Amino acid sequence: MVLAVVISGTAGAGYLYYRHLNANIKKDPLNIGAPRDRATKVRANAAGQTPLNILLIGSDARNSKENQKLGGAKDTYNTAPRADVQMLLHVSADRTNISAVSMPRDTLLDLPQCTDPETGDVYEARSNTITNDSLGRGGPGCTVATWEKLTDIHIDHFMMIDFAGVVSMADAVGGVPVCVDANIHSKSSDGHGSGLKLKKGTTSVKGVQALEWLRTRYGFEDNTDIARAKAQHQYMNSMVRELRANATLSNPNKLRTLAETATRALTVDEGLGTVAKLYDLSKELRKVPTDRITMTTMPWQYSTTSLGRVVPRPGDAAKLFRLVREDIALDGKDGTDTPDSSDSPDAADSASAADRAAADDRIAVRVENGTRDSERAAVEGRADAVADLLVGKGFAKAVADPSAVDGEKTTVVRYPSAELKGDARRVAEALGVPLGSVKRSTDVSGVTLVVGANWRSGTAYKAAKDDDDSTPDTAEAINGSDEKQCMHVNPDYTY
């Protein structure tokens, strides 16, 4: 959004200035992991749209005097950088919502094999390793590979910023309001802490103070990286609101300064390596209203083998990743919004046509019995029973398929082409099947309901906790329009 304002405002600067800005941007390969660990790219929807997944990385590199001064820890000067902030930004295919998932830097994961693009050095796969080590294994492309291996979410781009970049961008933006519920000084007697010092209430932070806010863990809540992620979410939501409220800059010198800052602050993948491409991305992000932005933290639990470290919480973390992978909004409002016709009328018309369902009695549904699993045989007559259930609900063209099919763990509705998507979703809605279980597939010729092993009896479908489409409570979701967010200060760090 900053770039959209900047570039439009500096349009008169000419071709040579754009070349200069392009030269500022640092680039690295997107994914340097082994092909076997990469996630499959998502297919386009009926309107030709695909989601955008962008990994945001905050590097703690001390590779310059400025970064060393800001980051401290002299003994780490010019050592391998670490990805201390990792946040996956998911922009929905229809551009109606954005979901963000932060991963605590203390998370233990299996890191994939990565190959340094400059030296050719191969970093072998490692197990039970802290996630922020991934950046030092060949660069940001290894952090991307780590996320893809864990989540099976295809990542389209990354954007990385270091300490100095955060300070310069925070100055350029002009201040971001943040809130604490007590006076805070993040500095302990033994030297721990970011140095952040704020009075109770709301303060607009910029420059070094903004960096201190984003780095603070000693002083927020329980002094862990989990609380730090929450503070970062508050900052980002507030920054978005500030930018949208003050999205006009008329001073040419300020615009040029901001353009220089933005392009010098970032390292991006080659697919985002020009001002024009960054501008195109900014236009996509601007389509999403603030109240459809949801910030979350990967559900976690403490490791039983490493003190102070965390691991993905079984069930909940996988569910959150599934929701993102299947482009299901984390705010629970899927289907309530359509793309802004002023931004893209053709896309809006196309999307609404694809989502439109025929009358229930005109929808042909084939019902298959997929109730077999590794321990139990298929329930005899189950396809007939559910087909009769659909007929009773008004789907007169529902019929049971008597042929044997493979078992399905959970019930799913499949459809072959875009024009049947609305019909498939209507069938799922009528039965109470989560919309995340509606899948496009070339293996079927029409709307096909496969009754899974999770629905072996009864007429009421009950989604399991990990099968429904609600965001897990353990993800601690925060809405982008919530202006009441305020960080709780640890009593040991008040003044």
Side-chain angles (χ1 to χ4, degrees), residues 18 26 45 48 73 153 160 169 186 212 225 228 234 241 259 265 291 305 349 354 356 386 391 408 453 459 461 493:
Y18 279 102
K26 298 179 287 293
N45 65 12
I153 296 169
M160 183 171 73
M169 283 297 291
S186 177
E212 290 171 347
D225 196 55
R228 172 160 53 186
Q234 183 188 141
R241 293 194 298 268
D291 63 358
T305 59
D349 291 344
R356 197 176 298 129
V386 176
V391 170
E408 288 281 349
T459 57
Y461 182 85
Y493 289 83

Side-chain angles (χ1 to χ4, degrees), residues 80-154:
R82 294 167 299 188
D84 271 4
V85 177
Q86 299 176 38
M87 186 182 299
L88 181 64
L89 195 71
H90 173 85
V91 189
S92 67
D94 61 8
R95 306 300 187 256
T96 61
N97 64 89
I98 288 176
S99 301
V101 181
S102 287
M103 183 186 295
R105 73 159 192 177
D106 295 331
T107 303
L108 295 175
L109 296 176
D110 292 338
L111 301 188
Q113 174 185 302
C114 291
T115 302
D116 190 308
E118 293 186 6
T119 66
D121 292 342
V122 176
Y123 295 86
E124 296 299 336
R126 293 171 56 183
S127 60
N128 205 41
T129 302
I130 191 167
T131 181
N132 67 352
D133 281 356
S134 60
L135 185 58
R137 292 162 53 84
C142 193
T143 306
V144 169
T146 300
W147 273 79
E148 287 206 359
K149 179 179 174 66
L150 172 69
T151 66
D152 199 30
I153 296 169
H154 176 82

Side-chain angles (χ1 to χ4, degrees), residues 88-92 95-100 244 284-290 292-295 329-331:
L88 181 64
L89 195 71
H90 173 85
V91 189
S92 67
R95 306 300 187 256
T96 61
N97 64 89
I98 288 176
S99 301
R244 288 191 163 168
E284 294 300 296
L285 297 177
R286 289 180 68 189
K287 295 177 183 178
V288 181
T290 307
R292 295 300 311 277
I293 298 173
T294 306
M295 296 282 184
L330 298 186
D331 61 5

Side-chain angles (χ1 to χ4, degrees), residues 192-256:
H192 285 120
S194 68
L196 178 71
K197 192 171 185 179
L198 294 176
K199 291 184 177 180
K200 177 181 178 179
T202 300
T203 304
S204 183
V205 297
K206 61 181 180 178
V208 173
Q209 200 171 43
L211 177 64
E212 290 171 347
W213 175 274
L214 293 168
R215 296 189 67 205
T216 295
R217 63 185 295 176
Y218 293 98
F220 287 152
E221 299 187 354
D222 57 356
N223 299 334
T224 67
D225 196 55
I226 311 302
R228 172 160 53 186
K230 200 179 296 184
Q232 291 165 355
H233 294 164
Q234 183 188 141
Y235 180 91
M236 289 188 68
N237 281 336
S238 184
M239 181 174 66
V240 169
R241 293 194 298 268
E242 284 297 296
L243 289 171
R244 288 191 163 168
N246 303 285
T248 56
L249 294 173
S250 56
N251 186 318
N253 289 329
K254 187 171 184 178
L255 281 171
R256 281 193 288 272

Side-chain angles (χ1 to χ4, degrees), residues 355-360 363 390 393-395 413 420-432 435 438 447:
D355 291 340
R356 197 176 298 129
D360 291 353
I363 299 175
L390 279 169
K393 289 179 176 290
F395 293 85
V413 183
L420 292 177
K421 178 183 178 182
D423 291 357
R425 289 169 67 96
R426 173 62 194 135
V427 171
E429 181 185 34
L431 295 173
L435 294 182
V438 178
V447 175

Side-chain angles (χ1 to χ4, degrees), residues 2-16:
V2 171
L3 286 167
V5 174
V6 169
I7 295 167
S8 60
T10 57
Y15 175 69
L16 291 178

Side-chain angles (χ1 to χ4, degrees), residues 24-41:
N24 285 345
I25 302 169
K26 298 179 287 293
K27 297 178 282 293
D28 254 317
L30 175 62
N31 190 320
I32 59 174
R36 64 177 178 272
D37 293 322
R38 296 181 183 174
T40 304
K41 190 170 179 63

